[in-house]
């Protein structure tokens, strides 16, 4: 595996931060992306197949643009959205809001501060980084039923993480982050998305750190009925590892059965439903 160099970090000054939603996230009114690009560079990232990545002409993961925004303009943007009706925000759909650049840039934290002062009807925070625990103080300021922090944990096998997302945070740190968030009274979930080959102990490990789980697959969760995952070579990557059966749709039901022994049925979600505003 080639050594990954630090991503090129640039800045942009977008006129607006909130983007009206559709498609996979149709249950939300807006998405909110503090960055363009993502240095976690997961091999299966469906954003690789989207215009923001395709037209950039540089490898996905090699660049990150920090969106420098005016806090007053963002407040006004929020107020305009709230005026139109209940506003539900997905943070973030095309980047990880807690990727390494956030340590220094603190854009996600700044946005959360503004959102905590005037919370939307619902805020869903999606990440795979333990850095999210830095902002527990801000999460705690949201009404408990209007915020969920979802941490991706695709597998409990770190060799699988290294095979598919080698630049993403190790699994153990994500489990600790989920536990810390839950213990702080924040609504959480583990997003097993996409489901990667895992051990029989995976469900028990997640049940020890979160109250809810969402299972997703390459075919269901890429926003294009599996076409993006095919184009990204996920099937052949599993085949090369001798694990082709993990691409089959039946695997989801098998794993769901394992999770049913550790989570109540109404705490196990599948694909889109697990990322909806609730
Ligand atoms: S963390 Fe999310 S946005 Fe970033 S590369 Fe991985 S899947 Fe894509």
């Amino acid at each position: 595996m080639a050594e990954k160099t630090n991503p090129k970090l640039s800045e942009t000054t977008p006129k607006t931060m909130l983007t009206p939603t559709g498609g996979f996230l149709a249950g939300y009114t807006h998405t909110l992306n503090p960055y363009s690009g993502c240095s976690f560079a997961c091999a299966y990232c469906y954003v690789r197949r989207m215009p923001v990545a395709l037209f950039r002409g540089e490898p996905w993961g090699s660049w990150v643009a920090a969106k420098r925004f005016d806090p007053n303009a963002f407040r006004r943007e929020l107020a305009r959205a709230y005026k139109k009706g209940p506003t539900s925000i997905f943070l973030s759909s095309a980047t990880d809001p807690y990727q390494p650049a956030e340590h220094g840039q603190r854009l996600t934290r700044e946005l959360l501060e503004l959102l905590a002062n005037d919370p939307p009807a619902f805020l869903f925070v999606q990440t795979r980084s333990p850095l999210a625990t830095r902002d527990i103080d801000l999460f705690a300021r949201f009404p408990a039923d209007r915020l969920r922090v979802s941490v991706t944990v695709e597998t409990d096998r770190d060799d699988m993480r290294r095979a598919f997302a080698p630049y993403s945070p190790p699994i153990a740190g994500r489990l600790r982050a989920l536990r810390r968030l839950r213990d702080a009274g924040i609504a959480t979930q583990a997003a097993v998305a996409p489901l990667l080959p895992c051990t029989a102990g995976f469900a028990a490990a997640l049940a020890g750190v979160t109250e809810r789980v969402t299972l997703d697959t390459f075919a269901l969760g890429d926003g294009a009925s599996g076409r993006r995952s095919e184009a990204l070579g996920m099937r052949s990557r599993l085949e090369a590892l001798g694990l082709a059966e993990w691409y089959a749709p039946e695997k989801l039901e098998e794993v769901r059965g394992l999770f049913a022994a550790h989570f109540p049925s109404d705490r196990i979600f599948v694909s889109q439903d697990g990322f909806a505003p609730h």
Side-chain angles (χ1 to χ4, degrees), residues 103-126:
H103 281 282
Q105 298 294 319
R106 297 171 75 86
L107 294 174
T108 299
R109 185 164 175 89
E110 238 181 281
L111 288 167
L112 282 172
E113 269 168 349
L114 295 165
L115 289 162
N117 289 342
D118 191 6
F122 196 82
L123 176 68
F124 193 98
V125 179
Q126 176 59 49

Side-chain angles (χ1 to χ4, degrees), residues 37-48 60 92-96 99 127-128 165 168:
C38 183
S39 60
F40 285 149
C42 310
Y44 52 71
C45 180
Y46 59 80
V47 188
R48 289 172 178 271
W60 181 247
S92 297
S93 57
T95 189
D96 193 309
Q99 64 180 295
T127 183
R128 67 198 60 220
S168 68

Side-chain angles (χ1 to χ4, degrees), residues 22-220:
F24 196 81
L25 297 173
Y28 290 85
T29 56
H30 299 86
T31 58
L32 178 57
N33 289 278
Y35 300 91
S36 298
C38 183
S39 60
F40 285 149
C42 310
Y44 52 71
C45 180
Y46 59 80
V47 188
R48 289 172 178 271
R49 304 296 304 165
M50 293 168 72
V52 62
L54 292 174
F55 297 143
R56 177 87 185 195
E58 294 171 275
W60 181 247
S62 72
W63 58 275
V64 175
K67 296 187 184 175
R68 255 324 125 221
F69 63 93
D70 170 3
N72 288 325
F74 183 66
R75 269 191 214 101
R76 287 195 296 274
E77 221 185 320
L78 274 183
R80 278 198 302 276
Y82 292 178
K83 238 182 173 169
K84 289 186 186 156
T87 301
S88 47
I89 299 175
F90 193 96
L91 170 82
S92 297
S93 57
T95 189
D96 193 309
Y98 290 104
Q99 64 180 295
E102 172 63 12
H103 281 282
Q105 298 294 319
R106 297 171 75 86
L107 294 174
T108 299
R109 185 164 175 89
E110 238 181 281
L111 288 167
L112 282 172
E113 269 168 349
L114 295 165
L115 289 162
N117 289 342
D118 191 6
F122 196 82
L123 176 68
F124 193 98
V125 179
Q126 176 59 49
T127 183
R128 67 198 60 220
S129 172
L131 179 57
T133 57
R134 178 200 65 188
D135 293 341
I136 282 176
D137 61 323
L138 296 175
F139 296 144
R141 287 175 48 199
F142 286 75
D145 59 346
R146 283 161 60 183
L147 170 86
R148 184 171 300 278
V149 180
S150 172
V151 178
T152 299
V153 192
E154 317 93 308
T155 173
D156 58 343
R157 287 179 56 177
D158 219 56
D159 62 331
M160 287 299 118
R161 178 193 65 83
R162 287 194 298 275
F164 286 87
Y167 310 114
S168 68
I171 302 300
R174 303 191 211 178
L175 296 179
R176 280 195 300 273
L178 274 166
R179 186 192 295 274
R180 279 191 60 196
L181 288 158
R182 184 199 59 190
D183 290 353
I186 312 299
T188 63
Q189 83 165 355
V192 183
L195 170 67
L196 294 180
C198 57
T199 77
F202 189 26
L206 289 182
V209 297
T210 185
E211 69 280 9
R212 165 178 146 150
V213 70
T214 287
L215 305 173
D216 211 347
T217 65
F218 284 125
L220 289 175

